[in-house]
Amino acid sequence: AQSVTQPDIHITVSEGASLELRCNYSYGATPYLFWYVQSPGQGLQLLLKYFSGDTLVQGIKGFEAEFKRSQSSFNLRKPSVHWSDAAEYFCAVRNTGKLIFGQGTTLQVKP
Amino acid sequence: DGGITQSPKYLFRKEGQNVTLSCEQNLNHDAMYWYRQDPGQGLRLIYYSQIVNDFQKGDIAEGYSVSREKKESFPLTVTSAQKNPTAFYLCASRGRGKETQYFGPGTRLLVL
């Protein structure tokens, strides 16, 4: 069965430091992959998506993600974290018109 | 201004009561979805609809019901059969032939 795993439930980084959030998926065919961000009490906002082509995709707010088929991974990165990036981040894979979500990673940013 | 609206923002349910959560979109999207979010569990699909007058159960449909009489609207009813309804409920929509789902702001349901 298709699944998405975000191994890190909670991550804390210092403001200005780099960030990498991990996402591993299990999917038989070429996956359509997404990263969403959720601020407390809010809906989800799309950060970026990968369907095909260049395996390094750029998103909003300075985020990028790299699709690695050999590792079944789609890790999210940002070179310099801002305090406003504190939120919960969800990785998802499309499955016949539906989305399967990981359990989410909560990012805390230290001043 | 195009988007997805959910109302109310907070909803309180008494024991044995049915409550209905509203989801409206003006994006002309064909598909609509309802998710339930609990702390540490990510999002779980309750129901989805790919077209008007048609909908399918998701992974956790028990205790919930939906209707899709209009393209713009996909209300979710939490019935008294749902024994643990306290959660954050998110509605999403997707355009025909598109892959990306867009989300509303959510409704938090609490039990009195």
Side-chain angles (χ1 to χ4, degrees):
Chain A
Q2 291 82 8
S3 65
V4 176
T5 302
Q6 294 180 244
D8 304 304
I9 296 173
H10 195 108
I11 282 184
T12 300
V13 300
S14 297
E15 191 168 15
S18 63
L19 171 70
E20 183 170 33
L21 302 182
R22 296 183 291 164
C23 172
N24 294 101
Y25 66 89
S26 171
Y27 192 75
T30 300
Y32 289 6
L33 294 158
F34 304 82
W35 273 101
Y36 286 88
V37 62
Q38 183 183 34
S39 297
Q42 303 296 317
L44 273 64
Q45 181 182 22
L46 180 70
L47 281 176
L48 47 77
K49 59 192 176 187
Y50 171 79
F51 295 164
S52 64
D54 193 346
T55 56
L56 184 63
V57 293
Q58 303 297 320
I60 62 171
K61 305 185 180 188
F63 285 92
E64 66 179 25
E66 185 171 14
F67 170 63
K68 293 186 177 180
R69 185 187 299 276
S70 61
Q71 299 178 20
S72 297
S73 70
F74 188 56
N75 294 348
L76 182 71
R77 302 194 295 244
K78 186 169 185 178
S80 178
V81 170
H82 187 263
W83 63 266
S84 60
D85 293 324
E88 190 160 18
Y89 292 80
F90 292 95
C91 181
V93 64
R94 169 197 170 274
N95 177 26
T96 59
K98 299 179 286 184
L99 287 179
I100 299 172
F101 285 88
Q103 293 187 320
T105 297
T106 299
L107 173 64
Q108 183 179 2
V109 180
K110 292 190 302 184
Chain B
D1 220 4
I4 304 171
T5 57
Q6 292 186 240
S7 61
K9 187 171 178 66
Y10 296 95
L11 185 58
F12 297 91
R13 193 191 90 163
K14 297 178 181 178
E15 293 288 338
Q17 186 181 43
N18 292 354
V19 292
T20 298
L21 285 62
S22 169
C23 178
E24 305 274 335
Q25 54 95 4
N26 61 3
L27 300 168
N28 198 34
H29 285 175
D30 285 316
M32 296 186 75
Y33 304 80
W34 274 107
Y35 294 90
R36 171 178 171 140
Q37 185 177 20
D38 296 280
Q41 294 195 46
L43 279 72
R44 294 181 290 168
L45 183 63
I46 305 172
Y47 268 98
Y48 64 105
S49 168
Q50 308 259 35
I51 196 168
V52 174
N53 292 322
D54 188 42
F55 49 83
Q56 288 79 40
K57 293 182 179 179
D59 301 318
I60 56 165
E62 186 175 350
Y64 300 97
S65 66
V66 293
S67 63
R68 187 82 187 280
E69 297 176 1
K70 298 188 299 181
K71 188 175 185 178
E72 303 80 18
S73 178
F74 191 41
L76 173 73
T77 297
V78 184
T79 74
S80 58
Q82 173 50 244
K83 297 307 179 188
N84 184 23
T86 297
F88 192 52
Y89 291 86
L90 287 159
C91 178
S93 69
R94 176 177 62 86
R96 183 187 301 182
K98 304 296 184 182
E99 301 298 337
T100 303
Q101 291 186 23
Y102 296 92
F103 285 80
T107 292
R108 185 164 299 279
L109 177 60
L110 300 165
V111 176
L112 294 176

